[in-house]
Amino acid sequence: MSSNKKYWKSVEELDQNSSIVEALRNNEFVEEIPNDEFLGNSDALSSSSTSRRDFLKYVGFSTAAATLAACEGPVNKSIPYVLQPEQIIPGVADYYATSVFDGFDFANLLVKTREGRPIKIDNNTIAGAKFTANARIHASILSLYDSMRLKEPKIEGKDSTWSAVDAKIKSSIADAKAKGGQVVLLTNTLASPSTERLISEFVSKNPNSKHIVYDAVSESEALDAFELVYGERALVDYDFSKASLIVSVGADFLGDWQGGSFDTGYAKGRIPKAGKMSRHFQLESNMTLSGAAADKRLPMSVSAQKQALVHIYNIVTGSSVSVKLEDKFKSEVTKAAQQLKAAGSKGVLVSGIQDKNAQLLVLAINQALASESFVTAGLRQIRKGSASNVSQLVADMKAGKVHTLIMSGVNPLYTLADSVSFQEGLKKVKTSVAFSLKEDETALLSTVAAAVPHYLESWNDLSLVKGTYSLTQPTIRPLFNTKQFQDVLLSLNGTAGSFYDYIKNTSSSIISGSSWNKVLHDGVFVSTVPTVGSGSADYSAAANALAATKVSQGLELVLYTKTGLGDGQQANNPWLQEFPDPITRVSWDNYVTVSNADAIKYELSNEIVANGGLNGSYATITTADGLKLENVPVIVQPGQAVGTVGLALGYGRKAALKEEMMVGLNAYSLYKGFNNVQSITLAKADGEHEFACVQGQKTLMGRGDIIKETSLEIFNTKDAHIWNEQPMVSLDHKEVEATKVDLWDSFDRSTGHHFNLSIDLNACTGCGACVIACHAENNVPVVGKSEVRRSRDMHWLRIDRYYSSESTFEGDNERKENIAGLTSSLSTFNEMEKAGDNPQVSFQPVMCQHCNHAPCETVCPVAATSHSRQGQNHMAYNRCVGTRYCANNCPYKVRRFNWFLYNKNSEFDYHMNDDLGRMVLNPDVNVRSRGVMEKCSMCIQMTQATILKAKREGRTIVDGEFQTACSNACSTGAMIFGDVNDKDAEVAKLAADDRMYHLLEHVGTKPNVIYHVKVRNT
């Protein structure tokens, strides 16, 4: 049967006695509307006797007149092409295939350019291009136009020339040779055959030099374990689509674990087909995207996870290593291990525990299973860093052994836990060179700050996994006086030609059977790679060592990277700063997450205040070594393991950032020994922190039929009307389905196109790529922390996150069914409304539902919003006078009001306030002004462009051509867009599926956005 779970979006929502919560439910605009700002003399207006309609006319006319009187039309000077480039047609977009890897994020891309400007990132869907863009890569297009970029090289902090930089480095290398000093190249993981070849040539020409690879967020333990067993330093590229059972021990593989990009394969197994779907167990400390998606989640400390991993190893391999697993976990871990063993080759185990012994057991378990998901052919080349080598480098620098240090793609003065020691060592280095996009913390203190181009201005080649070769090509001429690290290396090596020539030369031995032009056009080349040979190690000794690991004293701090900022490279990107975290829904901050039990213990709290903003306590974190991080904001996180706290890396930067982006605290200072788990103590600090949290805003007013879900067993054994219950209404004193009753006349929409957007709740992981893609495509403004706090964020697409009141699906239903009598009913329901220690989580993307019977259209007094026969709800911005009646009348709360002019307004000093930042704007979409409503347009500019292209080519449109920004960005297939009038289209089949339902079906709005019931394999 369908679920009647109590869903709640924040802990505060469960306090039914809170007057603030009640007020927020019933009042969309919680702050007094500053009418005087809009209408001048409010006293005079209040005494006016004009009718409502006359008033609206007055507002519309006077606003327009005032605008015309106050603003002179800008003079725009256009310079025509003397010779128009053959490949550029004004008004028509060009696409370039490229690939990106910045040492942390990687993807195969298509870059959309308009008149020579890159304006949007899309996924490359050609065969072999397997890595899709996450939210950060979608936002990287804005980082290209960052006005805080390093615009030219500097020596000793003063502007210089590239010839002077070249001479300085060559002189220093010669001096190092003469004096016997070390020359060190410190880079991030490169994954570039050409760059690695260049570095190899440099080292061979300079025997006193060496290359050290440093990853800000280390996977060194997993690399060490794999290298010990298989003899190669790489990571496994797991294929979760081949797994029927997944067990994850502390690995957020739907997040950034080992590089991420596992969600596409995972989602394929999560959509029920022929009555089957994969099953997922998650053992973790912090609430993660993977834990939210899991069928069974066990919140436990990392110490307990280690014991659980040994216990699973015992059951799968038949070993008998003694473990100290708590009784409350033992039965569930045993069940997971037994099911994993029974799954055999269809099972897979992954772990994020930063311990070499733990990673050895992962290899042992997958070998014993002969797991098909454990792919040892195309190994990942995206993490190569060595924690021990970096530690040795710092020691050598402090000892005065390093004469010349050349750094590229790293910022150790920010990301290194012992940055103080690195800074001391840097002072003893004769010449230090930092190749960087920004004058960051390290570049500021280096002898030479070498300005490098953005990846969209660069040439490069990449081998992200063995057997693939992809090219990075420039999509725009360099905006500043920059030079690639590789071009400087060529000069240092005395090699003639450009890096482009060098790449082309390197590729000739790799792309046999293809051509340079074809690989450049496709963006990627795939060859066959043999599987690495079988390997082994002393797994028993590893299991014993892991089982003997001492339990942390005090609390366990578990460091992680947030979906928005990752390792912090793009901290100056406002799209990412304003992106709400999928779990906490907080933007513009990092914070320590604590369980409800620990919050009570340490007297920490969160509360929603009168204006709808979320406030929280401060805490002081103290490590076992006495290092303190003071005034860390606190979020009480349902599902956080008791005895653990979480804190995100990537925040707290100060150098080369606008003041608005200098938010959060630098958690890298606690990342001692590259271990993401630290023993700490926690103490409440004075004061209260103001969060920018969207969780309590724009709710659907507590109405039902929002999230529908069922278990796989019920899905397979019951009729659809049981688990996808249709709302009923009374018609002529008889109950009929709400969809069969209508207050409006229906229109024939069978002619032409009729667009629908399908959203599968089983496939949505909450990753947020769609949110950032929507920003880029539709010129959505950034409003800043204080405005978000006032519920004035402008996101056209939000991903609501709901918690359930019980830890299991069946628990809710059984508990309700066992209620006996009124007294039992009251007590049971009151208990079910308390925040669970381990709630289930559901994500639901919500945008304008493009209702065929839209309540916003009937209430607009100036006909600013109307409906098309293609199913899209339109907004005529020039007509809108900002009454906001449409927002009040929208049951889905998806309309946004422009409180300010976000474009060219110094009060909002983000990308729309400077000429460079505005280069990212899409010319096909209007930039909205103050005082109008805006919302999702279902990317009408994209659908119309597709129609016009097909007309011009004289053909019918093929299914899959119609796309929106969000459906294009979705890597899991959760969002499918298309024409329901095309009966062969995928979206038409999804619209007829038994799992399909509409949001708030009983309201009768007949939306063109459809959802699919979430099925859990519990």
Side-chain angles (χ1 to χ4, degrees):
M1 60 188 193
S2 65
S3 170
N4 290 314
K5 277 199 230 182
K6 166 75 176 179
Y7 282 100
W8 38 281
K9 296 179 75 179
S10 63
V11 176
E12 294 73 24
E13 195 177 328
L14 299 179
D15 184 1
Q16 297 300 314
N17 297 319
S18 170
S19 60
I20 291 173
V21 169
E22 187 61 29
L24 290 172
R25 279 182 178 166
N26 298 316
N27 186 5
E28 182 183 0
F29 303 110
V30 294
E31 291 194 333
E32 185 178 345
I33 297 170
N35 291 319
D36 55 324
E37 291 184 19
F38 292 95
L39 305 177
N41 190 335
S42 58
D43 294 333
L45 279 172
S46 64
S47 62
S48 170
S49 60
T50 57
S51 69
R52 171 177 170 273
R53 185 171 294 277
D54 288 339
F55 169 75
L56 292 171
K57 288 178 184 176
Y58 164 73
V59 172
F61 171 76
S62 62
T63 304
T67 303
L68 288 172
C71 306
E72 293 183 9
V75 178
N76 295 312
K77 296 181 179 179
S78 299
I79 302 174
Y81 290 116
V82 178
L83 292 172
Q84 181 176 319
E86 185 180 340
Q87 66 273 26
I88 293 180
I89 303 172
V92 177
D94 290 306
Y95 291 84
Y96 295 89
T98 190
S99 294
V100 58
F101 177 51
D102 63 7
F104 191 75
D105 292 312
F106 52 92
N108 305 118
L109 309 173
L110 286 179
V111 180
K112 178 183 179 182
T113 68
R114 281 293 303 270
E115 287 76 55
R117 286 182 300 119
I119 62 169
K120 188 169 182 291
I121 298 292
D122 285 328
N123 292 318
N124 190 347
T125 56
I126 200 166
K130 61 179 292 186
F131 295 118
T132 54
N134 58 21
R136 295 185 294 270
I137 291 177
H138 278 287
S140 66
I141 196 89
L142 182 57
S143 294
L144 168 66
Y145 303 115
D146 186 349
S147 58
M148 300 291 287
R149 279 178 57 186
L150 187 56
K151 297 175 177 62
E152 58 189 336
K154 292 186 176 184
I155 298 179
E156 305 288 356
K158 297 178 180 178
D159 295 345
S160 186
T161 63
W162 282 108
S163 58
V165 168
D166 204 41
K168 179 82 173 175
I169 299 174
K170 285 179 178 177
S171 171
S172 183
I173 291 172
D175 190 45
K177 276 185 182 177
K179 294 179 178 177
Q182 286 184 21
V183 177
V184 177
L185 296 179
L186 179 65
T187 72
N188 56 3
T189 301
L190 298 165
S192 166
S194 294
T195 310
E196 287 170 353
R197 180 183 159 203
L198 259 177
I199 289 176
S200 178
E201 290 170 359
F202 177 86
V203 172
S204 64
K205 289 187 177 184
N206 300 280
N208 61 325
S209 66
K210 61 181 176 180
H211 178 212
I212 294 175
V213 180
Y214 165 48
D215 294 323
V217 179
S218 176
E219 294 289 351
S220 193
E221 304 297 333
L223 291 164
D224 292 344
F226 192 86
E227 189 174 20
L228 177 65
V229 175
Y230 292 101
E232 185 172 347
R233 194 167 183 79
L235 296 172
V236 177
D237 188 33
Y238 293 92
D239 185 355
F240 289 100
S241 68
K242 296 179 179 177
S244 63
L245 188 82
I246 301 164
V247 178
S248 170
V249 184
D252 183 17
F253 58 86
L254 295 180
D256 295 331
W257 174 78
Q258 295 192 359
S261 285
F262 295 111
D263 51 354
T264 303
Y266 175 81
K268 288 178 182 176
R270 297 296 291 171
I271 298 173
K273 293 177 182 176
K276 294 182 179 180
M277 62 181 285
S278 63
R279 190 149 197 242
H280 174 192
F281 287 89
Q282 184 79 12
L283 287 61
E284 62 181 12
S285 302
N286 302 337
M287 175 68 84
T288 67
L289 292 181
S290 301
D295 298 303
K296 183 66 181 179
R297 178 181 180 270
L298 295 178
M300 57 172 65
S301 67
V302 178
S303 300
Q305 290 173 35
K306 291 178 179 179
Q307 301 297 322
L309 185 57
V310 177
H311 187 60
I312 295 169
Y313 167 78
N314 283 341
I315 292 175
V316 172
T317 64
S319 303
S320 55
V321 178
S322 177
V323 294
K324 301 181 288 292
L325 189 61
E326 296 176 63
D327 291 339
K328 63 180 179 180
F329 299 129
K330 200 160 191 175
S331 63
E332 289 294 342
V333 174
T334 300
K335 187 189 300 182
Q338 289 171 343
Q339 291 184 24
L340 183 64
K341 185 175 182 179
S345 63
K346 292 295 181 182
V348 65
L349 180 138
V350 293
S351 178
I353 299 173
Q354 295 297 313
D355 186 297
K356 185 178 177 179
N357 293 316
Q359 295 301 326
L360 284 171
L361 293 193
V362 172
L363 302 179
I365 291 167
N366 286 312
Q367 284 178 349
L369 295 170
S371 173
E372 295 176 16
S373 300
F374 185 75
V375 181
T376 56
L379 297 173
R380 292 191 168 203
Q381 309 293 306
I382 47 89
R383 295 286 188 275
K384 292 290 185 72
S386 170
S388 58
N389 287 350
V390 174
S391 299
Q392 185 59 50
L393 169 64
V394 175
D396 288 346
M397 289 167 62
K398 290 180 72 175
K401 296 178 182 179
V402 179
H403 181 284
T404 304
L405 178 64
I406 302 173
M407 297 169 282
S408 175
V410 295
N411 184 11
L413 281 179
Y414 165 65
T415 58
L416 204 59
D418 194 7
S419 58
V420 174
S421 291
F422 189 91
Q423 185 172 343
E424 290 173 6
L426 196 63
K427 292 176 182 176
K428 297 182 180 181
V429 173
K430 177 77 173 176
T431 304
S432 53
V433 184
F435 286 85
S436 176
L437 265 174
K438 313 284 283 291
E439 196 170 10
D440 56 28
E441 291 79 358
T442 303
L444 276 171
L445 295 183
S446 296
T447 313
V448 178
V452 299
H454 191 269
Y455 77 89
L456 292 171
E457 305 168 310
S458 309
W459 283 103
N460 206 355
D461 60 354
L462 296 170
S463 179
L464 299 172
V465 294
K466 290 187 74 173
T468 67
Y469 181 75
S470 51
L471 292 173
T472 300
Q473 65 170 316
T475 58
I476 188 174
R477 288 177 64 93
L479 298 173
F480 306 115
N481 181 20
T482 55
K483 200 169 185 178
Q484 284 187 240
F485 168 61
Q486 294 90 338
D487 280 314
V488 175
L489 270 182
L490 282 169
S491 175
L492 297 179
N493 289 348
T495 306
S498 65
F499 187 49
Y500 167 81
D501 300 323
Y502 194 87
I503 294 171
K504 205 168 179 180
N505 177 266
T506 304
S507 70
S508 59
S509 61
I510 300 174
I511 60 173
S512 58
S514 187
S515 67
W516 168 263
N517 284 342
K518 179 169 173 50
V519 176
L520 188 61
H521 173 272
D522 294 351
V524 66
F525 170 79
V526 181
S527 61
T528 56
V529 175
T531 303
V532 293
S534 59
S536 186
D538 191 346
Y539 297 132
S540 179
N544 279 292
L546 191 65
T549 305
K550 292 181 180 178
V551 177
S552 299
Q553 299 300 312
L555 290 170
E556 282 185 355
L557 169 67
V558 183
L559 300 168
Y560 67 100
T561 54
K562 278 180 73 171
T563 306
L565 278 198
D567 64 349
Q569 289 186 54
Q570 296 192 75
N572 204 43
N573 192 313
W575 285 351
L576 294 177
Q577 289 281 11
E578 195 151 294
F579 172 71
D581 181 76
I583 301 294
T584 63
R585 309 291 286 132
V586 173
S587 60
W588 294 100
D589 256 317
N590 66 338
Y591 34 78
V592 60
T593 55
V594 301
S595 66
N596 191 50
D598 286 328
I600 294 170
K601 179 179 178 181
Y602 295 101
E603 300 180 336
L604 305 169
S605 63
N606 290 142
E607 64 172 342
I608 292 180
V609 294
N611 70 348
L614 180 71
N615 287 5
S617 305
Y618 282 114
T620 297
I621 295 173
T622 308
T623 67
D625 298 332
L627 180 66
K628 285 190 176 183
L629 197 60
E630 298 182 332
N631 293 330
V632 187
V634 173
I635 287 287
V636 181
Q637 175 61 59
Q640 182 77 32
V642 177
T644 72
V645 298
L647 182 61
L649 302 165
Y651 286 80
R653 288 188 57 185
K654 303 295 181 187
L657 264 66
K658 288 190 176 182
E659 185 179 351
E660 292 85 355
M661 257 66 84
M662 296 180 189
V663 295
L665 296 158
N666 185 6
Y668 278 113
S669 61
L670 307 177
Y671 192 33
K672 183 183 177 183
F674 297 96
N675 193 336
N676 69 326
V677 182
Q678 302 289 333
S679 180
I680 64 150
T681 56
L682 197 67
K684 184 178 181 179
D686 294 334
E688 198 172 56
H689 185 76
E690 295 185 346
F691 290 103
C693 179
V694 300
Q695 185 58 39
Q697 305 164 4
K698 304 181 180 71
T699 70
L700 298 192
M701 302 285 188
R703 293 168 175 168
D705 298 338
I706 297 170
I707 293 282
K708 286 190 179 184
E709 60 177 38
T710 188
S711 68
L712 184 62
E713 181 185 359
I714 293 173
F715 176 76
N716 286 334
T717 58
K718 304 289 185 182
D719 290 336
H721 72 273
I722 300 294
W723 48 262
N724 188 8
E725 189 175 358
Q726 295 300 308
M728 308 296 284
V729 294
S730 177
L731 179 66
D732 296 332
H733 305 290
K734 295 179 182 178
E735 275 203 335
V736 297
E737 290 185 6
T739 53
K740 295 180 180 177
V741 179
D742 223 329
L743 296 178
W744 292 275
D745 292 332
S746 293
F747 295 92
D748 179 15
R749 302 188 187 278
S750 60
T751 304
H753 305 293
H754 188 186
F755 299 118
N756 269 200
L757 175 63
S758 169
I759 301 175
D760 195 324
L761 301 184
N762 262 52
C764 179
T765 63
C767 72
C770 54
V771 176
I772 303 297
C774 178
H775 262 285
E777 176 66 28
N778 295 298
N779 301 334
V780 177
V782 170
V783 302
K785 182 175 180 178
S786 63
E787 293 301 300
V788 172
R789 185 172 164 78
R790 296 179 182 181
S791 75
R792 294 177 179 174
D793 70 282
M794 296 299 293
H795 295 106
W796 283 13
L797 162 63
R798 70 177 191 264
I799 303 179
D800 287 340
R801 182 267 298 128
Y802 292 95
Y803 296 131
S804 65
S805 57
E806 281 291 309
S807 60
T808 66
F809 176 83
E810 286 303 320
D812 266 342
N813 291 333
E814 289 174 10
R815 199 165 181 185
K816 285 184 292 187
E817 287 167 5
N818 290 330
I819 291 175
L822 178 62
T823 304
S824 174
S825 171
L826 293 174
S827 61
T828 301
F829 279 115
N830 281 333
E831 287 174 15
M832 290 178 72
E833 288 181 352
K834 293 180 181 176
D837 292 331
N838 185 26
Q840 285 185 341
V841 184
S842 294
F843 295 112
Q844 184 175 58
V846 179
M847 68 293 289
C848 175
Q849 302 293 291
H850 296 272
C851 310
N852 287 320
H853 293 163
C856 58
E857 295 169 11
T858 56
V859 79
C860 181
V862 290
T865 183
S866 59
H867 210 71
S868 79
R869 67 179 302 117
Q870 293 181 344
Q872 291 155 312
N873 178 267
H874 296 327
M875 274 298 304
Y877 297 124
N878 280 8
R879 284 185 172 183
C880 180
V881 295
T883 63
R884 288 163 293 166
Y885 294 164
C886 56
N888 280 320
N889 221 37
C890 174
Y892 307 103
K893 300 304 158 204
V894 290
R895 289 178 164 260
R896 306 288 178 262
F897 181 69
N898 282 265
W899 288 92
F900 295 93
L901 178 66
Y902 301 109
N903 182 37
K904 298 182 181 179
N905 187 336
S906 59
E907 192 169 344
F908 302 92
D909 195 17
Y910 307 110
H911 65 289
M912 286 190 179
N913 191 47
D914 62 72
D915 292 337
L916 188 64
R918 283 192 293 273
M919 285 180 71
V920 82
L921 295 177
N922 183 359
D924 293 333
V925 178
N926 188 29
V927 177
R928 282 76 63 189
S929 187
R930 170 178 174 161
V932 302
M933 272 288 172
E934 62 179 74
K935 51 97 198 168
C936 160
S937 67
M938 209 176 258
C939 290
I940 187 171
Q941 69 281 2
M942 294 177 68
T943 56
Q944 289 303 110
T946 302
I947 292 169
L948 290 172
K949 182 182 178 184
K951 276 185 178 179
R952 190 171 61 248
E953 296 172 0
R955 60 174 179 82
T956 56
I957 295 170
V958 179
D959 183 36
E961 279 192 87
F962 284 124
Q963 292 290 348
T964 58
C966 56
S967 66
N968 238 344
C970 185
S971 59
T972 63
M975 290 183 172
I976 302 293
F977 181 76
D979 180 4
V980 288
N981 285 344
D982 176 4
K983 298 309 175 187
D984 294 325
E986 180 68 16
V987 75
K989 297 172 185 174
L990 291 169
D993 191 271
D994 285 343
R995 284 203 296 137
M996 188 279 286
Y997 75 99
H998 294 107
L999 278 193
L1000 307 182
E1001 190 87 75
H1002 58 277
V1003 179
T1005 56
K1006 298 190 179 299
N1008 283 311
V1009 177
I1010 61 177
Y1011 292 84
H1012 285 76
V1013 174
K1014 188 175 182 71
V1015 180
R1016 295 186 188 272
N1017 193 355
T1018 50

